Amino acid sequence: MLLLLIKRLFGKPGSGGSARDGAQAPPETVVARIRAGDDALRESFIADYRPYIAKAASRFCKRYIDPSRDDEYSIALAAFNEAIDGYDDNAGKSFLGFADTVIRRRLIDYVRKEQRHARSLPMSAFEGEQGGESPVNAAETAGAMDAYVSERLSESRRLEIEALAERLERCGISFTDLADRSPRHADSRAMLLGISAELASRPELMAVMERHGRLPIKELMEYCQVSRKTLERNRKYIMATALILSGDFPLLQSYLQPAVQEAAASREVGS
């Protein structure tokens, strides 16, 4: 009995027997069959990959996730199912790599939601059951809440940076490149962020940039009235900041928004 349980928990996906033979094919092939209408295969495919889903959730949370008890597992499970419907085999990424990204995104959403909920809770929600006597020390409670929110913010920021690093890598950019190529002067930085904001506001240009890993220089010269030399010299900085402004990076965006707004205001004055 114990050996059977170990096999179920740690066995390779697709080893569950004849009822799940479809899952022994490459995941991309199975997903294609599911999306063609094989709903029974969807159920068995998800069941086979439950250990993978639990591992992905545990890796994100940096602790063991109990599938029978933790909300994070349910969120990861729903995200895996969502990935089946959203996977594009022409995007050049494996299904499991795509599923991992979707799981991480949904868990990030969950962390942010919990973070907002913690901030909105009244202090009375943390008072102890003391038979009507004095509540838990309010200063200690406030300190604990501040520490909780700070920890969640740090975790969210770390996850955003990791997700950004993946997108930058597909464009051939590293954080070292950005450190070396960031503009030193505030006016130059504001000008380049204005170009980045223009690029980020145009999904068709962003799609071209991410697909080919290059800056759409010709189009930006027309839209932003800047020289080719300026765009080529600052290519990596513009691409990186455009990825931040167009992506699901609210914490990283908060660092850029003041300068972006300043650049927008300057353009309005000049026009």
Side-chain angles (χ1 to χ4, degrees):
M1 185 68 179
L2 179 59
L3 287 175
L4 179 60
L5 179 61
I6 291 173
K7 283 185 178 180
R8 286 180 176 175
L9 289 176
F10 301 103
K12 292 183 180 179
S15 60
S18 58
R20 298 178 183 176
D21 284 343
Q24 294 185 24
E28 294 77 15
T29 302
V30 180
V31 169
R33 289 172 56 189
I34 293 171
R35 296 184 63 178
D38 194 337
D39 291 333
L41 183 57
R42 178 190 295 263
E43 293 182 11
S44 63
F45 181 65
I46 292 175
D48 276 319
Y49 277 88
R50 283 177 181 269
Y52 170 85
I53 295 167
K55 184 177 180 180
S58 297
R59 185 168 59 246
F60 174 89
C61 298
K62 297 190 180 302
R63 63 180 175 85
Y64 171 70
I65 294 299
D66 185 345
S68 66
R69 185 178 61 188
D70 289 320
D71 290 340
E72 289 87 347
Y73 176 75
S74 298
I75 292 166
L77 188 67
F80 188 86
N81 186 53
E82 178 187 344
I84 294 174
D85 295 323
Y87 179 65
D88 179 4
D89 58 2
N90 294 317
K93 192 171 187 177
S94 70
F95 170 74
L96 292 182
F98 176 71
D100 187 66
T101 298
V102 176
I103 289 171
R104 288 164 59 86
R105 286 175 181 170
R106 295 299 163 255
L107 288 171
I108 288 172
D109 291 342
Y110 171 75
V111 168
R112 289 174 182 157
K113 181 179 178 182
E114 290 295 294
Q115 179 181 305
R116 289 193 297 269
H117 177 63
R119 284 174 169 170
S120 66
L121 284 177
M123 293 300 293
S124 59
F126 298 93
E127 293 176 356
E129 297 282 343
Q130 300 182 17
E133 297 180 4
S134 60
V136 174
N137 183 276
E140 291 181 359
T141 303
M145 280 303 303
D146 287 344
Y148 172 82
V149 171
S150 177
E151 181 181 347
R152 290 301 180 107
L153 278 171
S154 296
E155 178 66 6
S156 294
R157 189 178 300 111
R158 181 187 66 80
L159 293 168
E160 284 190 13
I161 290 172
E162 287 183 1
L164 175 62
E166 291 179 4
R167 295 184 68 179
L168 288 174
E169 185 178 1
R170 292 198 291 271
C171 293
I173 303 173
S174 69
F175 285 121
T176 302
D177 292 330
L178 298 183
D180 293 339
R181 299 172 186 273
S182 295
R184 300 289 185 266
H185 300 292
D187 55 348
S188 298
R189 199 157 46 242
M191 178 195 68
L192 295 177
L193 284 172
I195 297 171
S196 302
E198 180 68 28
L199 174 57
S201 70
R202 298 180 179 275
E204 70 282 3
L205 294 187
M206 290 298 300
V208 170
M209 185 187 84
E210 293 201 68
R211 187 180 306 120
H212 301 290
R214 60 175 177 80
L215 190 67
I217 289 178
K218 182 179 178 180
E219 292 84 353
L220 289 177
M221 287 174 61
E222 178 182 349
Y223 292 135
C224 301
Q225 301 299 304
V226 291
S227 68
R228 173 179 291 274
K229 184 177 180 181
T230 296
L231 294 173
E232 289 178 343
R233 182 189 301 129
N234 299 283
R235 176 180 63 86
K236 291 187 176 182
Y237 181 82
I238 294 170
M239 292 171 70
T241 50
L243 284 172
I244 294 173
L245 293 173
S246 66
D248 186 21
F249 306 113
L251 295 177
L252 297 178
Q253 287 168 2
S254 67
Y255 293 104
L256 298 179
Q257 282 302 333
V260 171
Q261 292 168 0
E262 182 180 345
S266 297
R267 287 199 303 273
E268 289 179 2
V269 171
S271 60

